[in-house]
Amino acid sequence: MRHTSVKDYEKALAGGEPTWKNGEASLTRALNWYNYHSDTKESKKFALSYLKEIQAPKNEIDLLEKVSDADFQNLGFVCRIKLRGGPISEDSEQWINSFFKRLKLKVQPIVEAKVVETRTVSIQERVVDKSREYIGELEGQIDECVNSRKFNTFNPYQWMQSSGVKGAHTKVIIQHFTKLLVELEEALLGKDKDLIEGYSYLTKPQLKAFITLIKSVIADAEKIAHNGKATRAPRKKKAQPVSKVISKLIFKKEDNEYKIASINPIDIVGCMQLWTFNTKTRKLGCYIANDADGLTVKGTTLLNFNESSSIQKTVRKPEVVLPLVTKSGKVALKKVLSDINAAEQPLTGRINSDTILCRVIK
């Protein structure tokens, strides 16, 4: 008599392997099923079976046999879904092909140079392809959090920074995870029978923690995009005098703890207001110009600011206040300092290596 393993028993309880007859399963629910009930060894097996099914060259399959199981991540599950008639989009197919290319590079032998006709790939295509790679890697990190039920161990902002995610990649990343967020929130509401079944392996608190994690991925991608715009070098213009004016200014370009970046210092010259934040003392300041000529700079010091109306206050919760400074409209911005319950202190005009140049008002 054949004995049923615990793993097979759990699969049977979960309704067996996903099928797409009569629209019974969604892609995300299917991936969740495979992530829970299968491992990287099976993912590799599914991926190689897929290559054989599409009649890929035998030398390619033999090459990929040498890749470790762990490197296959979700690839085999997506291939399995496609072979079983799942709803694989064009983006997902491109992701599959890109993933196989990356795996081959891990064990690719040195090949003699050949003259090959190549199509020129546009910058936009390169950005989209790279964005999909980042999405795949992010999903791997998120899967680890879900499988371990430790949703607060992953810092998306630090991961994106260390991985080289740029503002140009964040649009595709945000679009992808926004779709997942909508699905998770619908599952939490409990109105969709398929989604309830798809996420039944998570308790309600775990599902809420999952949603919080995806929200943080989206929010941190938005911060990467905003910081990229803030620090982006301007197009070369004939503005040599202004460049010389700010050439000796010392400031902090970016702070990882508070997730904020400085604006381009060229924008300071002639502006009516400059908002600064000292990351060491947590002092938020607003310099107000003395007249219509606006602020200017000499060495590392701001000049032509009103000494009586230019003030600073110590901020207890920078993570709450700083987004208000960088994103609020001009009217709401006027209330930011007055709403902080702390003593006012005069500003000296000194800018140093701990100072973030948050925002200017022209």
Side-chain angles (χ1 to χ4, degrees):
M1 183 177 70
R2 180 180 178 273
H3 294 282
T4 303
S5 67
V6 173
K7 190 173 181 180
D8 290 339
Y9 181 68
E10 287 184 344
K11 287 183 179 181
L13 284 179
E17 193 170 1
T19 178
W20 282 268
K21 294 178 181 178
N22 303 317
E24 291 177 13
S26 70
L27 179 59
T28 303
R29 185 158 67 90
L31 281 172
N32 287 334
W33 190 94
Y34 285 113
N35 272 305
Y36 185 77
H37 294 291
S38 302
D39 53 23
T40 53
K41 184 177 181 179
E42 285 186 282
S43 180
K44 178 177 180 178
K45 177 184 174 182
F46 292 152
L48 296 177
S49 296
Y50 169 79
L51 290 176
K52 292 174 184 176
E53 185 69 24
I54 64 172
Q55 298 182 343
K58 186 177 184 301
N59 61 330
E60 285 189 17
I61 299 174
D62 292 340
L63 195 64
L64 289 168
E65 284 273 12
K66 301 174 184 178
V67 179
S68 69
D69 298 350
D71 287 328
F72 281 82
Q73 300 177 21
N74 279 340
L75 175 62
F77 304 148
V78 179
C79 291
R80 179 71 170 176
I81 290 169
K82 183 181 177 183
L83 287 179
R84 288 173 62 82
I88 299 298
S89 66
E90 184 178 340
D91 283 350
S92 296
E93 292 212 16
Q94 290 178 357
W95 178 83
I96 291 173
N97 295 333
S98 177
F99 207 122
F100 273 123
K101 287 179 182 177
R102 294 203 309 276
L103 291 180
K104 282 189 284 185
L105 288 175
K106 291 179 180 288
V107 289
Q108 187 77 49
I110 297 174
V111 180
E112 293 181 5
K114 297 180 181 179
V115 178
V116 181
E117 291 185 8
T118 56
R119 182 179 70 85
T120 302
V121 180
S122 69
I123 294 175
Q124 290 81 3
E125 289 175 315
R126 291 179 189 275
V127 169
V128 171
D129 287 344
K130 191 63 179 176
S131 301
R132 291 195 183 105
E133 285 186 26
Y134 286 135
I135 288 170
E137 292 170 14
L138 271 168
E139 286 180 334
Q141 295 288 334
I142 293 168
D143 285 344
E144 289 182 14
C145 294
V146 173
N147 292 336
S148 65
R149 304 299 193 268
K150 296 178 180 178
F151 296 93
N152 59 352
T153 57
F154 176 53
N155 187 318
Y157 187 86
Q158 287 184 358
W159 184 91
M160 284 187 263
Q161 272 208 321
S162 63
S163 299
V165 176
K166 305 297 181 186
H169 305 124
T170 57
K171 182 178 179 181
V172 181
I173 291 172
I174 291 168
Q175 287 176 345
H176 177 85
F177 285 103
T178 298
K179 291 179 182 176
L180 175 58
L181 178 61
V182 170
E183 183 171 293
L184 290 170
E185 289 178 334
E186 288 179 358
L188 183 63
L189 290 173
K191 295 182 179 180
D192 188 302
K193 187 177 180 181
D194 287 341
L195 292 177
I196 293 171
E197 182 183 346
Y199 293 100
S200 60
Y201 65 94
L202 295 174
T203 64
K204 199 166 187 177
Q206 288 170 347
L207 188 55
K208 288 181 179 178
F210 194 178
I211 289 172
T212 300
L213 174 59
I214 299 304
K215 283 182 177 179
S216 70
V217 171
I218 295 169
D220 285 351
E222 289 172 345
K223 287 171 185 171
I224 293 284
H226 174 77
N227 292 346
K229 290 177 183 177
T231 56
R232 187 180 301 156
R235 291 181 181 274
K236 290 184 178 179
K237 298 178 182 178
K238 293 182 179 179
Q240 190 66 21
V242 178
S243 300
K244 286 183 178 179
V245 168
I246 57 94
S247 62
K248 295 182 181 179
L249 188 65
I250 299 172
F251 62 99
K252 194 168 189 177
K253 290 187 177 181
E254 185 173 9
D255 187 88
N256 291 336
E257 180 181 357
Y258 298 115
K259 301 179 183 179
I260 189 169
S262 287
I263 59 159
N264 193 314
I266 285 178
D267 294 336
I268 296 173
V269 180
C271 75
M272 293 296 103
Q273 284 184 29
L274 170 65
W275 287 76
T276 62
F277 178 68
N278 189 299
T279 57
K280 186 175 181 180
T281 61
R282 292 186 289 109
K283 292 189 184 298
L284 176 69
C286 177
Y287 288 93
I288 299 177
N290 214 27
D291 52 43
D293 290 335
L295 301 174
T296 189
V297 178
K298 184 177 181 180
T300 59
T301 305
L302 286 176
L303 300 176
N304 199 38
F305 64 91
N306 189 306
E307 293 184 7
S308 61
S309 57
S310 299
I311 62 167
Q312 61 182 344
K313 288 184 178 182
T314 302
V315 180
R316 289 199 307 167
K317 295 183 178 180
E319 68 275 11
V320 175
V321 175
L322 291 178
L324 298 178
V325 174
T326 58
K327 296 180 182 179
S328 295
K330 291 182 180 180
V331 176
L333 190 61
K334 293 177 181 179
K335 298 176 62 180
V336 172
L337 271 176
S338 61
D339 287 346
I340 297 173
N341 186 18
E344 291 183 0
Q345 294 178 326
L347 285 163
T348 63
R350 292 285 183 182
I351 305 295
N352 60 38
S353 59
D354 294 316
T355 306
I356 291 284
L357 307 175
C358 300
R359 184 176 181 180
V360 296
I361 301 295
K362 292 291 187 179

